[in-house]
Amino acid sequence: MPHLASTPPSQTTSKLDPKEEHAKKVVKHLQEGSRLKKTDPKDALRIYTDMARWIPLAIDPFIVFGNVIYAALEQSNESNEELLAQYQAILKLEPRLENVLQCLNEDPAQLDNFIKEIEDAMNGARTDNTSSLKPAILKYVLKDPDANLHPKVPETGSKACRAFRHPVFARHLCPIKKLSNFDRNPE
């Protein structure tokens, strides 16, 4: 019987853990940059940009993703407990993030690129949320939404009688320190 030579270790194919494989796909996407379409459902980064749109809604509207990630990667005694709690909340949205960050931590430029992609998606979500309030702002300004403003402000058309030009809005916009002066002389 002939003797079969074993395959040298350098030529063996190592099967990556599925989480590790996923992390490598994210890194590959970041390296290839704009050549990939961001709407491609196979885009590994899209999972995280979709997740990022939920972060301001589900965790904290003012969260700074980069600060959270750097605190989590440091995990020193000086790490901010609030940032680490936010990190844990983010991991509940997408548990594979931890593996991706471990992989990206080896290349600081790619980690920064990843953070920028996530923060861009978060900012897009914030913009969408605040712009959805814009059409109904008149209803939110009043304590009683059924009350009428005097003088009446049209919901559409010119905004010339809004802000400091309208007595109710002007009072809301006035700094507290100057409110007593404003109440004496609204002009």
Side-chain angles (χ1 to χ4, degrees):
M1 178 170 221
H3 175 49
L4 299 174
S6 64
T7 309
S10 62
Q11 294 179 1
T12 59
T13 56
S14 63
K15 182 72 175 158
L16 290 176
D17 175 306
K19 290 179 181 178
E20 219 176 298
E21 190 174 327
H22 172 77
K24 297 287 182 190
K25 285 180 183 177
V26 172
V27 171
K28 182 180 178 199
H29 175 90
L30 288 167
Q31 290 169 340
E32 291 181 3
S34 62
R35 288 183 282 172
L36 294 174
K37 291 184 178 178
K38 293 187 183 206
T39 55
D40 182 358
K42 294 178 184 173
D43 172 10
L45 187 59
R46 184 166 180 202
I47 295 166
Y48 299 97
T49 56
D50 287 350
M51 170 206 68
R53 295 186 63 80
W54 282 99
I55 292 172
L57 293 169
I59 299 169
D60 182 344
F62 305 107
I63 193 170
V64 179
F65 187 76
N67 292 351
V68 171
I69 297 308
Y70 290 123
L73 291 173
E74 264 182 27
Q75 295 265 338
S76 68
N77 293 335
E78 296 176 18
S79 291
N80 185 322
E81 286 182 34
E82 181 183 355
L83 294 175
L84 295 177
Q86 289 174 340
Y87 176 69
Q88 291 303 317
I90 292 170
L91 286 181
K92 287 180 183 175
L93 292 173
E94 181 50 65
R96 294 178 292 184
L97 176 64
E98 193 165 26
N99 291 68
V100 170
L101 292 174
Q102 288 171 356
C103 194
L104 288 170
N105 199 25
E106 297 168 10
D107 184 351
Q110 292 303 334
L111 178 62
D112 289 342
N113 192 7
F114 179 75
I115 289 170
K116 182 186 178 319
E117 292 278 345
I118 299 304
E119 288 180 343
D120 287 350
M122 289 171 59
N123 290 336
R126 288 184 191 110
T127 300
D128 292 348
N129 292 338
T130 54
S131 63
S132 69
L133 294 173
K134 205 172 185 180
I137 197 69
L138 291 175
K139 293 176 183 132
Y140 296 121
V141 169
L142 299 174
K143 288 182 183 177
D144 178 7
D146 296 326
N148 290 324
L149 278 176
H150 298 289
K152 181 125 176 86
V153 177
E155 289 190 30
T156 58
S158 174
K159 297 178 184 175
C161 61
R162 295 186 187 177
F164 285 105
R165 294 186 186 112
H166 191 282
V168 174
F169 297 136
R171 189 169 194 288
H172 285 302
L173 294 169
C174 185
I176 292 174
K177 289 181 179 180
K178 298 187 179 198
L179 201 52
S180 60
N181 289 343
F182 179 85
D183 289 339
R184 282 191 301 271
N185 182 10
E187 299 298 319

